[in-house]
Amino acid sequence: MKVLVIGTGGREHALALAASKSPLCEKLYCAPGNPGMGQIGENVNIKADDVKGLADFAQNNGIDLTIVGPENTLAAGLADEFLARNLKVFGPTQGAAQVESSKDFAKSLMKKYDIPTAAYETFHDLESAKAYVLEHGAPIVIKENGLKAGKGVTVAMNIEDALEALEIAFAIEDNAVVIEDYLEGFEFSLIALVNGDLVVPLECAQDHKRVGDNDTGPNTGGMGSYSPVRKITPELVNTTMEAIMKPMAKALQAEGVPFTGFLYGGLMVTEDGIKTIEFNARFGDPEAEVILCRLESDFLQAILDVMDGRKPELKWTDKTSHGVVLASTGYPASSTKGALIEGLEDTDSLIYHMGTKGEDGNLYTNGGRVLMLVNLADTLEEAMEKTYADLKHVKSDALFYRNDIGRKDLD
Ligand code: AMP
Ligand code: GLY
């Protein structure tokens, strides 16, 4: 098979690596790819949001399967364009991708189909949103409506922070916000391969969304992860599948926007049962890096099976994976580009490129999240030790990382 992976980050590097290991993969293209993906496939210089350009490429090069990484590409209607041209694509249509691109759409579906989540209201103007916050009190959660790369959410522990978040949100023209009740509990991510009402869970992982140690500071796209999550037992996964993942796939089907692709559940175990924090229409990042490296069976065969309506045989290693993101100084508010990165050859970790640029044989930072180092070991403790030991070898004066990734599963 000729396979095309769309995207440029660490998630796409992980998807490309998993695809490249399949005996079915004869040729792998990545568009636009990154320096890490360039080592396992051929990078093609077409932007991830150039829907027509990507469809032309797939058509002209006889691509047998396209796997989509980023949400923006899906929200731009890539799958719709591919399907209209009879090109095989694993990723939801624009309509189905609303489960991520519109918080309001996702929340109203959860309400309509009784999928457990925090109570909420949607607001289109600053004044009524402020009035609601003042009446409701803190803690409270403010979520901007569209795609925000994990950064449009403010968990406000006091009224002042909530009001400030609203000011910022409504400074953007035509914005809307969802304001929801604050939930407390243990978070995890469950990603499933979905086609209509066929929903096949992968192993779960835990992301670390806050920028600072001990979950402090603003939310990011994710600063590190590990898989499996010991606290999430097979029973809890089963409950999540029956109460949340399968009902959402069915709901999308019933609404006339059936979902094909990776459905991501952001979940929380609360005193009141498992609740949905959010759905995403694609694999998680940094979840993909720690989940897919544990898959021992054929990734492409699994996707083909699901697309044909068959449940695939998935085989996972018992080992635990653990990964830490190196981010640019200033992330998530800002980020530096063009800083030299050295020392990667002195590590034994799996290295995923999230935002790097290669030039003249050197590697440079090129975005907010830059690299992720991942290790597999018999225990989480051992994997953590390996990752943190290796991080010391990476030399750059413009990168930082969290020191406590994985700690929560040890308590
Ligand atoms: P989201 O982008 O919706 O996943 O939100 C980002 C992060 O904000 C989540 O991973 C949670 O840590 C936190 N968060 C979102 N919604 C809530 C909520 N209702 N209660 C508490 N924390 C939340
Ligand atoms: N790691 C969270 C996300 O991919 O949305």
Side-chain angles (χ1 to χ4, degrees), residues 305-320:
D305 285 346
V306 168
M307 291 186 81
D308 284 344
R310 275 191 310 271
K311 200 168 170 257
E313 295 277 333
L314 298 176
K315 196 169 169 292
W316 302 94
T317 172
D318 288 335
K319 291 191 180 194
T320 297

Side-chain angles (χ1 to χ4, degrees), residues 105-127:
F105 174 85
K107 292 293 284 193
S108 60
L109 235 56
M110 286 187 253
K111 199 173 195 172
K112 182 168 171 189
Y113 292 91
D114 249 339
I115 297 170
T117 188
Y120 80 105
E121 299 261 356
T122 304
F123 294 90
H124 297 274
D125 72 283
L126 178 61
E127 285 320 308

Side-chain angles (χ1 to χ4, degrees), residues 354-411:
M354 304 181 95
T356 65
K357 192 172 176 185
E359 217 167 75
D360 308 329
N362 289 324
L363 194 67
Y364 299 92
T365 63
N366 193 38
R369 293 188 294 171
V370 176
L371 287 165
M372 184 170 182
L373 267 55
V374 173
N375 282 275
L376 281 159
D378 288 337
T379 64
L380 176 61
E381 287 86 342
E382 270 177 69
M384 281 172 74
E385 260 174 50
K386 283 164 92 174
T387 309
Y388 278 110
D390 261 357
L391 280 162
K392 296 201 169 70
H393 296 297
V394 183
K395 302 270 180 287
S396 171
D397 52 14
L399 291 174
F400 74 96
Y401 56 87
R402 270 180 67 160
N403 295 287
D404 63 343
I405 304 297
R407 193 92 36 85
K408 259 185 268 182
D409 215 39
L410 303 181
D411 299 340

Side-chain angles (χ1 to χ4, degrees), residues 103 141 143 153 155 180-181 183 187 209 219 277-278:
K103 299 255 186 221
V141 181
K143 298 187 174 182
V153 174
V155 180
E180 63 177 42
D181 287 0
L183 300 174
E187 276 189 66
K209 292 223 168 105
N219 274 320
I277 295 286
E278 65 167 349

